[in-house]
Amino acid sequence: MLGKTIGRLTVTGFGSGKRDINGKFKSTFICSCECGNEVEVAASDLKKGNTTSCGCYKKERFYEIHS
């Protein structure tokens, strides 16, 4: 996954991992977004395509729709 680009995110490293609501451990990756932000994203969300930006795309779309 290192170096792979998914949407606006580019995987730059391995994250520390997170526990989900049920207490299960989830692997994470550190990703840099096109806008310059860095985020830690669950590996499963990246692989499924559920997360494709740091949140900047959602904000951009909101302002486009409501302007």
Side-chain angles (χ1 to χ4, degrees):
M1 289 287 286
L2 292 177
K4 189 172 183 180
T5 300
I6 299 158
R8 294 180 173 198
L9 297 175
T10 302
V11 180
T12 58
F14 296 100
S16 58
K18 294 182 181 179
R19 298 235 177 245
D20 66 7
I21 296 170
N22 300 321
K24 293 182 181 178
F25 184 78
K26 286 190 164 194
S27 298
T28 58
F29 288 105
I30 303 294
C31 301
S32 60
C33 188
E34 288 178 0
C35 69
N37 288 335
E38 248 188 23
V39 291
E40 188 171 359
V41 182
S44 58
D45 288 339
L46 280 176
K47 290 177 183 176
K48 292 177 185 175
N50 293 339
T51 304
T52 57
S53 76
C54 67
C56 62
Y57 179 73
K58 187 176 182 178
K59 289 178 190 174
E60 287 174 14
R61 291 292 299 148
F62 177 82
Y63 289 121
E64 285 177 11
I65 292 168
H66 295 288
S67 326

mmCIF file with all atom_site columns, all heavy atoms in Angstrom, residues 1 5-6 17-18 24-25 29 31 37-38 40 45 48 50-53 55 58 60 65-66:
data_model
loop_
_atom_site.group_PDB
_atom_site.id
_atom_site.type_symbol
_atom_site.label_atom_id
_atom_site.label_alt_id
_atom_site.label_comp_id
_atom_site.label_asym_id
_atom_site.label_entity_id
_atom_site.label_seq_id
_atom_site.pdbx_PDB_ins_code
_atom_site.Cartn_x
_atom_site.Cartn_y
_atom_site.Cartn_z
_atom_site.occupancy
_atom_site.B_iso_or_equiv
_atom_site.pdbx_formal_charge
_atom_site.auth_seq_id
_atom_site.auth_comp_id
_atom_site.auth_asym_id
_atom_site.auth_atom_id
_atom_site.pdbx_PDB_model_num
ATOM 1   N N   . MET A 1 1  ? 0.817   -1.204 0.000  1.00 0.00 ? 1  MET A N   1
ATOM 2   C CA  . MET A 1 1  ? 0.000   0.000  0.000  1.00 0.00 ? 1  MET A CA  1
ATOM 3   C C   . MET A 1 1  ? 0.865   1.275  0.000  1.00 0.00 ? 1  MET A C   1
ATOM 4   O O   . MET A 1 1  ? 0.382   2.311  -0.412 1.00 0.00 ? 1  MET A O   1
ATOM 5   C CB  . MET A 1 1  ? -0.904  0.024  1.224  1.00 0.00 ? 1  MET A CB  1
ATOM 6   C CG  . MET A 1 1  ? -2.038  -0.985 1.218  1.00 0.00 ? 1  MET A CG  1
ATOM 7   S SD  . MET A 1 1  ? -3.361  -0.595 0.083  1.00 0.00 ? 1  MET A SD  1
ATOM 8   C CE  . MET A 1 1  ? -4.184  0.729  0.914  1.00 0.00 ? 1  MET A CE  1
ATOM 9   N N   . THR A 1 5  ? -1.912  5.769  -4.362 1.00 0.00 ? 5  THR A N   1
ATOM 10  C CA  . THR A 1 5  ? -2.815  6.906  -4.282 1.00 0.00 ? 5  THR A CA  1
ATOM 11  C C   . THR A 1 5  ? -4.250  6.419  -4.425 1.00 0.00 ? 5  THR A C   1
ATOM 12  O O   . THR A 1 5  ? -4.578  5.697  -5.368 1.00 0.00 ? 5  THR A O   1
ATOM 13  C CB  . THR A 1 5  ? -2.493  7.937  -5.378 1.00 0.00 ? 5  THR A CB  1
ATOM 14  O OG1 . THR A 1 5  ? -1.150  8.371  -5.196 1.00 0.00 ? 5  THR A OG1 1
ATOM 15  C CG2 . THR A 1 5  ? -3.423  9.132  -5.303 1.00 0.00 ? 5  THR A CG2 1
ATOM 16  N N   . ILE A 1 6  ? -5.082  6.825  -3.470 1.00 0.00 ? 6  ILE A N   1
ATOM 17  C CA  . ILE A 1 6  ? -6.499  6.467  -3.470 1.00 0.00 ? 6  ILE A CA  1
ATOM 18  C C   . ILE A 1 6  ? -7.275  7.764  -3.347 1.00 0.00 ? 6  ILE A C   1
ATOM 19  O O   . ILE A 1 6  ? -7.238  8.411  -2.299 1.00 0.00 ? 6  ILE A O   1
ATOM 20  C CB  . ILE A 1 6  ? -6.829  5.508  -2.315 1.00 0.00 ? 6  ILE A CB  1
ATOM 21  C CG1 . ILE A 1 6  ? -6.017  4.232  -2.477 1.00 0.00 ? 6  ILE A CG1 1
ATOM 22  C CG2 . ILE A 1 6  ? -8.321  5.215  -2.264 1.00 0.00 ? 6  ILE A CG2 1
ATOM 23  C CD1 . ILE A 1 6  ? -5.829  3.451  -1.235 1.00 0.00 ? 6  ILE A CD1 1
ATOM 24  N N   . GLY A 1 17 ? -2.375  2.243  14.574 1.00 0.00 ? 17 GLY A N   1
ATOM 25  C CA  . GLY A 1 17 ? -3.524  1.368  14.750 1.00 0.00 ? 17 GLY A CA  1
ATOM 26  C C   . GLY A 1 17 ? -4.553  1.992  15.680 1.00 0.00 ? 17 GLY A C   1
ATOM 27  O O   . GLY A 1 17 ? -4.242  2.905  16.437 1.00 0.00 ? 17 GLY A O   1
ATOM 28  N N   . LYS A 1 18 ? -5.766  1.518  15.580 1.00 0.00 ? 18 LYS A N   1
ATOM 29  C CA  . LYS A 1 18 ? -6.869  2.038  16.391 1.00 0.00 ? 18 LYS A CA  1
ATOM 30  C C   . LYS A 1 18 ? -7.773  0.888  16.801 1.00 0.00 ? 18 LYS A C   1
ATOM 31  O O   . LYS A 1 18 ? -7.807  -0.148 16.164 1.00 0.00 ? 18 LYS A O   1
ATOM 32  C CB  . LYS A 1 18 ? -7.701  3.042  15.597 1.00 0.00 ? 18 LYS A CB  1
ATOM 33  C CG  . LYS A 1 18 ? -6.985  4.297  15.236 1.00 0.00 ? 18 LYS A CG  1
ATOM 34  C CD  . LYS A 1 18 ? -7.895  5.251  14.494 1.00 0.00 ? 18 LYS A CD  1
ATOM 35  C CE  . LYS A 1 18 ? -7.152  6.515  14.106 1.00 0.00 ? 18 LYS A CE  1
ATOM 36  N NZ  . LYS A 1 18 ? -7.995  7.449  13.378 1.00 0.00 ? 18 LYS A NZ  1
ATOM 37  N N   . LYS A 1 24 ? -12.047 -4.191 18.703 1.00 0.00 ? 24 LYS A N   1
ATOM 38  C CA  . LYS A 1 24 ? -11.147 -4.896 17.796 1.00 0.00 ? 24 LYS A CA  1
ATOM 39  C C   . LYS A 1 24 ? -10.088 -3.932 17.265 1.00 0.00 ? 24 LYS A C   1
ATOM 40  O O   . LYS A 1 24 ? -10.376 -2.777 16.990 1.00 0.00 ? 24 LYS A O   1
ATOM 41  C CB  . LYS A 1 24 ? -11.921 -5.488 16.622 1.00 0.00 ? 24 LYS A CB  1
ATOM 42  C CG  . LYS A 1 24 ? -12.854 -6.597 17.025 1.00 0.00 ? 24 LYS A CG  1
ATOM 43  C CD  . LYS A 1 24 ? -13.549 -7.181 15.817 1.00 0.00 ? 24 LYS A CD  1
ATOM 44  C CE  . LYS A 1 24 ? -14.510 -8.277 16.238 1.00 0.00 ? 24 LYS A CE  1
ATOM 45  N NZ  . LYS A 1 24 ? -15.231 -8.813 15.081 1.00 0.00 ? 24 LYS A NZ  1
ATOM 46  N N   . PHE A 1 25 ? -8.878  -4.438 17.122 1.00 0.00 ? 25 PHE A N   1
ATOM 47  C CA  . PHE A 1 25 ? -7.769  -3.632 16.628 1.00 0.00 ? 25 PHE A CA  1
ATOM 48  C C   . PHE A 1 25 ? -7.852  -3.504 15.112 1.00 0.00 ? 25 PHE A C   1
ATOM 49  O O   . PHE A 1 25 ? -8.082  -4.488 14.415 1.00 0.00 ? 25 PHE A O   1
ATOM 50  C CB  . PHE A 1 25 ? -6.440  -4.276 17.032 1.00 0.00 ? 25 PHE A CB  1
ATOM 51  C CG  . PHE A 1 25 ? -5.250  -3.456 16.646 1.00 0.00 ? 25 PHE A CG  1
ATOM 52  C CD1 . PHE A 1 25 ? -4.888  -2.356 17.403 1.00 0.00 ? 25 PHE A CD1 1
ATOM 53  C CD2 . PHE A 1 25 ? -4.507  -3.775 15.534 1.00 0.00 ? 25 PHE A CD2 1
ATOM 54  C CE1 . PHE A 1 25 ? -3.782  -1.599 17.054 1.00 0.00 ? 25 PHE A CE1 1
ATOM 55  C CE2 . PHE A 1 25 ? -3.405  -3.019 15.171 1.00 0.00 ? 25 PHE A CE2 1
ATOM 56  C CZ  . PHE A 1 25 ? -3.045  -1.932 15.941 1.00 0.00 ? 25 PHE A CZ  1
ATOM 57  N N   . PHE A 1 29 ? -3.054  3.471  8.236  1.00 0.00 ? 29 PHE A N   1
ATOM 58  C CA  . PHE A 1 29 ? -1.985  4.034  7.425  1.00 0.00 ? 29 PHE A CA  1
ATOM 59  C C   . PHE A 1 29 ? -1.979  5.550  7.599  1.00 0.00 ? 29 PHE A C   1
ATOM 60  O O   . PHE A 1 29 ? -3.029  6.167  7.780  1.00 0.00 ? 29 PHE A O   1
ATOM 61  C CB  . PHE A 1 29 ? -2.188  3.721  5.941  1.00 0.00 ? 29 PHE A CB  1
ATOM 62  C CG  . PHE A 1 29 ? -1.953  2.289  5.580  1.00 0.00 ? 29 PHE A CG  1
ATOM 63  C CD1 . PHE A 1 29 ? -3.014  1.445  5.326  1.00 0.00 ? 29 PHE A CD1 1
ATOM 64  C CD2 . PHE A 1 29 ? -0.673  1.788  5.491  1.00 0.00 ? 29 PHE A CD2 1
ATOM 65  C CE1 . PHE A 1 29 ? -2.811  0.123  4.989  1.00 0.00 ? 29 PHE A CE1 1
ATOM 66  C CE2 . PHE A 1 29 ? -0.449  0.467  5.160  1.00 0.00 ? 29 PHE A CE2 1
ATOM 67  C CZ  . PHE A 1 29 ? -1.525  -0.371 4.903  1.00 0.00 ? 29 PHE A CZ  1
ATOM 68  N N   . CYS A 1 31 ? -1.581  8.943  5.715  1.00 0.00 ? 31 CYS A N   1
ATOM 69  C CA  . CYS A 1 31 ? -1.763  9.388  4.339  1.00 0.00 ? 31 CYS A CA  1
ATOM 70  C C   . CYS A 1 31 ? -1.624  10.893 4.258  1.00 0.00 ? 31 CYS A C   1
ATOM 71  O O   . CYS A 1 31 ? -2.026  11.612 5.166  1.00 0.00 ? 31 CYS A O   1
ATOM 72  C CB  . CYS A 1 31 ? -3.145  8.997  3.829  1.00 0.00 ? 31 CYS A CB  1
ATOM 73  S SG  . CYS A 1 31 ? -3.473  7.237  3.872  1.00 0.00 ? 31 CYS A SG  1
ATOM 74  N N   . ASN A 1 37 ? -2.855  18.256 4.120  1.00 0.00 ? 37 ASN A N   1
ATOM 75  C CA  . ASN A 1 37 ? -3.116  17.667 5.436  1.00 0.00 ? 37 ASN A CA  1
ATOM 76  C C   . ASN A 1 37 ? -2.617  16.228 5.491  1.00 0.00 ? 37 ASN A C   1
ATOM 77  O O   . ASN A 1 37 ? -2.542  15.545 4.472  1.00 0.00 ? 37 ASN A O   1
ATOM 78  C CB  . ASN A 1 37 ? -4.612  17.666 5.755  1.00 0.00 ? 37 ASN A CB  1
ATOM 79  C CG  . ASN A 1 37 ? -5.132  19.036 6.052  1.00 0.00 ? 37 ASN A CG  1
ATOM 80  O OD1 . ASN A 1 37 ? -4.394  19.914 6.468  1.00 0.00 ? 37 ASN A OD1 1
ATOM 81  N ND2 . ASN A 1 37 ? -6.417  19.230 5.841  1.00 0.00 ? 37 ASN A ND2 1
ATOM 82  N N   . GLU A 1 38 ? -2.291  15.783 6.714  1.00 0.00 ? 38 GLU A N   1
ATOM 83  C CA  . GLU A 1 38 ? -1.939  14.396 6.949  1.00 0.00 ? 38 GLU A CA  1
ATOM 84  C C   . GLU A 1 38 ? -2.977  13.773 7.852  1.00 0.00 ? 38 GLU A C   1
ATOM 85  O O   . GLU A 1 38 ? -3.384  14.384 8.839  1.00 0.00 ? 38 GLU A O   1
ATOM 86  C CB  . GLU A 1 38 ? -0.559  14.291 7.609  1.00 0.00 ? 38 GLU A CB  1
ATOM 87  C CG  . GLU A 1 38 ? 0.464   13.686 6.711  1.00 0.00 ? 38 GLU A CG  1
ATOM 88  C CD  . GLU A 1 38 ? 1.768   13.397 7.424  1.00 0.00 ? 38 GLU A CD  1
ATOM 89  O OE1 . GLU A 1 38 ? 1.805   13.241 8.645  1.00 0.00 ? 38 GLU A OE1 1
ATOM 90  O OE2 . GLU A 1 38 ? 2.759   13.323 6.700  1.00 0.00 ? 38 GLU A OE2 1
ATOM 91  N N   . GLU A 1 40 ? -4.597  9.837  9.568  1.00 0.00 ? 40 GLU A N   1
ATOM 92  C CA  . GLU A 1 40 ? -4.430  8.415  9.825  1.00 0.00 ? 40 GLU A CA  1
ATOM 93  C C   . GLU A 1 40 ? -5.757  7.744  9.496  1.00 0.00 ? 40 GLU A C   1
ATOM 94  O O   . GLU A 1 40 ? -6.788  8.088  10.063 1.00 0.00 ? 40 GLU A O   1
ATOM 95  C CB  . GLU A 1 40 ? -4.050  8.178  11.287 1.00 0.00 ? 40 GLU A CB  1
ATOM 96  C CG  . GLU A 1 40 ? -3.686  6.758  11.596 1.00 0.00 ? 40 GLU A CG  1
ATOM 97  C CD  . GLU A 1 40 ? -3.095  6.587  12.984 1.00 0.00 ? 40 GLU A CD  1
ATOM 98  O OE1 . GLU A 1 40 ? -2.953  7.577  13.712 1.00 0.00 ? 40 GLU A OE1 1
ATOM 99  O OE2 . GLU A 1 40 ? -2.784  5.439  13.334 1.00 0.00 ? 40 GLU A OE2 1
ATOM 100 N N   . ASP A 1 45 ? -10.856 0.964  5.374  1.00 0.00 ? 45 ASP A N   1
ATOM 101 C CA  . ASP A 1 45 ? -11.547 2.067  4.705  1.00 0.00 ? 45 ASP A CA  1
ATOM 102 C C   . ASP A 1 45 ? -10.844 2.468  3.419  1.00 0.00 ? 45 ASP A C   1
ATOM 103 O O   . ASP A 1 45 ? -11.490 2.818  2.427  1.00 0.00 ? 45 ASP A O   1
ATOM 104 C CB  . ASP A 1 45 ? -11.665 3.275  5.632  1.00 0.00 ? 45 ASP A CB  1
ATOM 105 C CG  . ASP A 1 45 ? -12.661 3.060  6.752  1.00 0.00 ? 45 ASP A CG  1
ATOM 106 O OD1 . ASP A 1 45 ? -13.535 2.179  6.600  1.00 0.00 ? 45 ASP A OD1 1
ATOM 107 O OD2 . ASP A 1 45 ? -12.571 3.761  7.773  1.00 0.00 ? 45 ASP A OD2 1
ATOM 108 N N   . LYS A 1 48 ? -11.498 -0.402 0.742  1.00 0.00 ? 48 LYS A N   1
ATOM 109 C CA  . LYS A 1 48 ? -12.877 -0.407 0.249  1.00 0.00 ? 48 LYS A CA  1
ATOM 110 C C   . LYS A 1 48 ? -13.227 0.871  -0.507 1.00 0.00 ? 48 LYS A C   1
ATOM 111 O O   . LYS A 1 48 ? -14.255 0.950  -1.153 1.00 0.00 ? 48 LYS A O   1
ATOM 112 C CB  . LYS A 1 48 ? -13.854 -0.572 1.413  1.00 0.00 ? 48 LYS A CB  1
ATOM 113 C CG  . LYS A 1 48 ? -13.802 -1.925 2.062  1.00 0.00 ? 48 LYS A CG  1
ATOM 114 C CD  . LYS A 1 48 ? -14.744 -1.975 3.252  1.00 0.00 ? 48 LYS A CD  1
ATOM 115 C CE  . LYS A 1 48 ? -14.625 -3.276 4.003  1.00 0.00 ? 48 LYS A CE  1
ATOM 116 N NZ  . LYS A 1 48 ? -15.459 -3.280 5.221  1.00 0.00 ? 48 LYS A NZ  1
ATOM 117 N N   . ASN A 1 50 ? -13.813 3.743  1.040  1.00 0.00 ? 50 ASN A N   1
ATOM 118 C CA  . ASN A 1 50 ? -14.711 4.544  1.886  1.00 0.00 ? 50 ASN A CA  1
ATOM 119 C C   . ASN A 1 50 ? -14.112 5.896  2.238  1.00 0.00 ? 50 ASN A C   1
ATOM 120 O O   . ASN A 1 50 ? -14.844 6.843  2.486  1.00 0.00 ? 50 ASN A O   1
ATOM 121 C CB  . ASN A 1 50 ? -15.045 3.795  3.175  1.00 0.00 ? 50 ASN A CB  1
ATOM 122 C CG  . ASN A 1 50 ? -15.877 2.567  2.931  1.00 0.00 ? 50 ASN A CG  1
ATOM 123 O OD1 . ASN A 1 50 ? -16.539 2.450  1.904  1.00 0.00 ? 50 ASN A OD1 1
ATOM 124 N ND2 . ASN A 1 50 ? -15.838 1.627  3.850  1.00 0.00 ? 50 ASN A ND2 1
ATOM 125 N N   . THR A 1 51 ? -12.798 5.983  2.297  1.00 0.00 ? 51 THR A N   1
ATOM 126 C CA  . THR A 1 51 ? -12.124 7.238  2.616  1.00 0.00 ? 51 THR A CA  1
ATOM 127 C C   . THR A 1 51 ? -11.205 7.582  1.457  1.00 0.00 ? 51 THR A C   1
ATOM 128 O O   . THR A 1 51 ? -10.307 6.810  1.128  1.00 0.00 ? 51 THR A O   1
ATOM 129 C CB  . THR A 1 51 ? -11.305 7.107  3.916  1.00 0.00 ? 51 THR A CB  1
ATOM 130 O OG1 . THR A 1 51 ? -12.171 6.686  4.957  1.00 0.00 ? 51 THR A OG1 1
ATOM 131 C CG2 . THR A 1 51 ? -10.673 8.433  4.299  1.00 0.00 ? 51 THR A CG2 1
ATOM 132 N N   . THR A 1 52 ? -11.440 8.754  0.836  1.00 0.00 ? 52 THR A N   1
ATOM 133 C CA  . THR A 1 52 ? -10.622 9.149  -0.304 1.00 0.00 ? 52 THR A CA  1
ATOM 134 C C   . THR A 1 52 ? -10.015 10.532 -0.155 1.00 0.00 ? 52 THR A C   1
ATOM 135 O O   . THR A 1 52 ? -9.303  10.994 -1.036 1.00 0.00 ? 52 THR A O   1
ATOM 136 C CB  . THR A 1 52 ? -11.446 9.111  -1.603 1.00 0.00 ? 52 THR A CB  1
ATOM 137 O OG1 . THR A 1 52 ? -12.582 9.956  -1.446 1.00 0.00 ? 52 THR A OG1 1
ATOM 138 C CG2 . THR A 1 52 ? -11.887 7.694  -1.924 1.00 0.00 ? 52 THR A CG2 1
ATOM 139 N N   . SER A 1 53 ? -10.306 11.212 0.968  1.00 0.00 ? 53 SER A N   1
ATOM 140 C CA  . SER A 1 53 ? -9.681  12.506 1.245  1.00 0.00 ? 53 SER A CA  1
ATOM 141 C C   . SER A 1 53 ? -9.676  12.733 2.751  1.00 0.00 ? 53 SER A C   1
ATOM 142 O O   . SER A 1 53 ? -10.246 11.958 3.513  1.00 0.00 ? 53 SER A O   1
ATOM 143 C CB  . SER A 1 53 ? -10.420 13.653 0.540  1.00 0.00 ? 53 SER A CB  1
ATOM 144 O OG  . SER A 1 53 ? -11.618 13.974 1.210  1.00 0.00 ? 53 SER A OG  1
ATOM 145 N N   . GLY A 1 55 ? -11.172 15.083 4.198  1.00 0.00 ? 55 GLY A N   1
ATOM 146 C CA  . GLY A 1 55 ? -12.409 15.784 4.532  1.00 0.00 ? 55 GLY A CA  1
ATOM 147 C C   . GLY A 1 55 ? -12.544 17.062 3.715  1.00 0.00 ? 55 GLY A C   1
ATOM 148 O O   . GLY A 1 55 ? -13.591 17.696 3.704  1.00 0.00 ? 55 GLY A O   1
ATOM 149 N N   . LYS A 1 58 ? -15.324 16.948 0.916  1.00 0.00 ? 58 LYS A N   1
ATOM 150 C CA  . LYS A 1 58 ? -16.679 17.136 1.442  1.00 0.00 ? 58 LYS A CA  1
ATOM 151 C C   . LYS A 1 58 ? -16.961 18.615 1.680  1.00 0.00 ? 58 LYS A C   1
ATOM 152 O O   . LYS A 1 58 ? -18.034 19.126 1.347  1.00 0.00 ? 58 LYS A O   1
ATOM 153 C CB  . LYS A 1 58 ? -16.833 16.341 2.736  1.00 0.00 ? 58 LYS A CB  1
ATOM 154 C CG  . LYS A 1 58 ? -18.221 16.319 3.290  1.00 0.00 ? 58 LYS A CG  1
ATOM 155 C CD  . LYS A 1 58 ? -18.282 15.414 4.511  1.00 0.00 ? 58 LYS A CD  1
ATOM 156 C CE  . LYS A 1 58 ? -19.682 15.326 5.053  1.00 0.00 ? 58 LYS A CE  1
ATOM 157 N NZ  . LYS A 1 58 ? -19.775 14.411 6.199  1.00 0.00 ? 58 LYS A NZ  1
ATOM 158 N N   . GLU A 1 60 ? -15.456 21.181 0.166  1.00 0.00 ? 60 GLU A N   1
ATOM 159 C CA  . GLU A 1 60 ? -15.528 21.844 -1.138 1.00 0.00 ? 60 GLU A CA  1
ATOM 160 C C   . GLU A 1 60 ? -16.896 21.649 -1.777 1.00 0.00 ? 60 GLU A C   1
ATOM 161 O O   . GLU A 1 60 ? -17.481 22.595 -2.294 1.00 0.00 ? 60 GLU A O   1
ATOM 162 C CB  . GLU A 1 60 ? -14.452 21.300 -2.075 1.00 0.00 ? 60 GLU A CB  1
ATOM 163 C CG  . GLU A 1 60 ? -13.061 21.756 -1.740 1.00 0.00 ? 60 GLU A CG  1
ATOM 164 C CD  . GLU A 1 60 ? -12.005 21.080 -2.603 1.00 0.00 ? 60 GLU A CD  1
ATOM 165 O OE1 . GLU A 1 60 ? -12.361 20.461 -3.643 1.00 0.00 ? 60 GLU A OE1 1
ATOM 166 O OE2 . GLU A 1 60 ? -10.826 21.160 -2.236 1.00 0.00 ? 60 GLU A OE2 1
ATOM 167 N N   . ILE A 1 65 ? -22.327 23.581 -3.463 1.00 0.00 ? 65 ILE A N   1
ATOM 168 C CA  . ILE A 1 65 ? -23.778 23.380 -3.481 1.00 0.00 ? 65 ILE A CA  1
ATOM 169 C C   . ILE A 1 65 ? -24.514 24.541 -2.834 1.00 0.00 ? 65 ILE A C   1
ATOM 170 O O   . ILE A 1 65 ? -25.564 24.984 -3.312 1.00 0.00 ? 65 ILE A O   1
ATOM 171 C CB  . ILE A 1 65 ? -24.134 22.052 -2.790 1.00 0.00 ? 65 ILE A CB  1
ATOM 172 C CG1 . ILE A 1 65 ? -23.624 20.886 -3.637 1.00 0.00 ? 65 ILE A CG1 1
ATOM 173 C CG2 . ILE A 1 65 ? -25.635 21.916 -2.567 1.00 0.00 ? 65 ILE A CG2 1
ATOM 174 C CD1 . ILE A 1 65 ? -23.666 19.536 -2.930 1.00 0.00 ? 65 ILE A CD1 1
ATOM 175 N N   . HIS A 1 66 ? -23.955 25.065 -1.750 1.00 0.00 ? 66 HIS A N   1
ATOM 176 C CA  . HIS A 1 66 ? -24.647 26.085 -0.976 1.00 0.00 ? 66 HIS A CA  1
ATOM 177 C C   . HIS A 1 66 ? -24.202 27.517 -1.294 1.00 0.00 ? 66 HIS A C   1
ATOM 178 O O   . HIS A 1 66 ? -24.508 28.435 -0.548 1.00 0.00 ? 66 HIS A O   1
ATOM 179 C CB  . HIS A 1 66 ? -24.470 25.812 0.512  1.00 0.00 ? 66 HIS A CB  1
ATOM 180 C CG  . HIS A 1 66 ? -25.118 24.532 0.926  1.00 0.00 ? 66 HIS A CG  1
ATOM 181 N ND1 . HIS A 1 66 ? -26.474 24.351 1.014  1.00 0.00 ? 66 HIS A ND1 1
ATOM 182 C CD2 . HIS A 1 66 ? -24.585 23.318 1.258  1.00 0.00 ? 66 HIS A CD2 1
ATOM 183 C CE1 . HIS A 1 66 ? -26.756 23.124 1.371  1.00 0.00 ? 66 HIS A CE1 1
ATOM 184 N NE2 . HIS A 1 66 ? -25.620 22.468 1.525  1.00 0.00 ? 66 HIS A NE2 1
#
